[in-house]
Amino acid sequence: MNERAQTWGLRILALALAIGLWFGISLGQRETSGETVVRAQVLFNNPAGLVIFDPGVEISVLLSGPDSKVSELDPRQVRIRVDLTEAQPGTTTVSLTTGDVTAPSDLNVVSITPSQLQLRVDEKVQRNLPIEPVFVGEPAAGALLGDYRVVPSQIPVEGPRSMVEGLTHLKTSPIDLDGHAITFEANTTVVSPDPLIQMMQSSRVAVLIPRRVSQPEGDSAALGFGDGNLNEDPAQDPAQDS
């Protein structure tokens, strides 16, 4: 009798499990579908020696799937890879497909907007550029600017050829001359003229600023602050392409 009851108990348990499993599958099948649009993280497959002018492109991806999965989606899970292995300097057009999108497996990629990208690509080059300090403020009465010295006097930069070749020098952050009456040294940073121009070594420089005593009118040995030539260093030669 006990054995028979135990057998029936196991049968009832198996039936209950089967009903529960069926109910779960049925509920999943009845779950409504939803859609969402996310801004995908764009990953460029850059060929060596090239740089993209406008890497901050926005690509929207339309995804569909069960409402529960759509609501749980983290936009950072959606990425799209842009292949530029065949790109050449100039303007290149890249077509995008749903196969370029990486997303959770339980969601479907419906569409991509835009489906094509036009990107400006240029050759990446390096060049040494001289550093020109930027001065602000007024020194103490009777003090004049001497021939400043920058250490290091040049910094190598890297960036798109069309931008790098148009540069003649790099500028520092402003150096305040207010109240200075004696020779002093200022530690400052070199400022990149554009985010695409990267400095290939530390941007920290030291600027030695000599003080000169004001001379009688007509004496060219003193350099004043009112002649507009404070930032010129005639001893420096223009940098050459590396």
Side-chain angles (χ1 to χ4, degrees):
M1 189 63 154
N2 289 339
E3 184 178 349
R4 185 174 182 182
Q6 185 177 10
T7 301
W8 275 104
L10 292 174
R11 290 176 179 176
I12 293 172
L13 177 60
L15 179 61
L17 290 174
I19 294 173
L21 180 61
W22 172 85
F23 183 79
I25 294 174
S26 177
L27 181 63
Q29 290 175 342
R30 290 198 302 270
E31 184 177 4
T32 58
S33 296
E35 292 183 337
T36 187
V37 177
V38 299
R39 178 180 171 182
Q41 178 184 358
V42 183
L43 305 175
F44 290 99
N45 182 14
N46 287 359
L50 294 182
V51 60
I52 304 171
F53 272 97
D54 39 11
V57 296
E58 295 187 9
I59 301 177
S60 297
V61 178
L62 175 61
L63 301 162
S64 67
D67 274 337
S68 61
K69 300 301 182 181
V70 169
S71 62
E72 294 172 357
L73 176 65
D74 183 343
R76 291 174 296 183
Q77 295 176 288
V78 183
R79 298 181 296 274
I80 184 165
R81 184 170 295 278
V82 180
D83 188 3
L84 294 177
T85 53
E86 302 298 325
Q88 298 295 325
T91 300
T92 185
T93 301
V94 182
S95 297
L96 305 174
T97 69
T98 57
D100 297 320
V101 179
T102 300
S105 59
D106 41 17
L107 295 176
N108 299 316
V109 180
V110 179
S111 63
I112 306 171
T113 306
S115 59
Q116 280 191 335
L117 296 177
Q118 282 198 331
L119 301 170
R120 290 188 301 148
V121 180
D122 201 357
E123 182 184 1
K124 186 185 297 183
V125 297
Q126 291 188 9
R127 184 184 180 189
N128 290 325
L129 289 173
I131 300 166
E132 182 177 293
V134 175
F135 299 111
V136 296
E138 296 290 340
L144 300 173
L145 180 68
D147 294 329
Y148 58 78
R149 186 163 61 94
V150 184
V151 180
S153 61
Q154 296 184 340
I155 282 184
V157 300
E158 181 180 81
R161 175 179 290 278
S162 57
M163 294 179 66
V164 172
E165 290 184 346
L167 297 174
T168 58
H169 61 272
L170 299 171
K171 292 186 177 182
T172 66
S173 298
I175 299 172
D176 192 0
L177 297 174
D178 278 344
H180 286 285
I182 61 174
T183 298
F184 72 101
E185 181 176 298
N187 292 308
T188 186
T189 57
V190 179
V191 180
S192 172
D194 189 274
L196 291 177
I197 303 295
Q198 303 294 321
M199 280 170 274
M200 306 306 292
Q201 67 183 51
S202 173
S203 62
R204 297 288 298 178
V205 296
V207 183
L208 180 64
I209 307 164
R211 171 251 192 195
R212 286 185 179 177
V213 179
S214 125
Q215 301 292 323
E217 187 175 353
D219 189 342
S220 60
L223 178 61
F225 284 89
D227 61 7
N229 295 322
L230 296 182
N231 296 338
E232 293 183 0
D233 184 2
Q236 278 186 337
D237 294 325
Q240 301 297 322
D241 285 355
S242 59

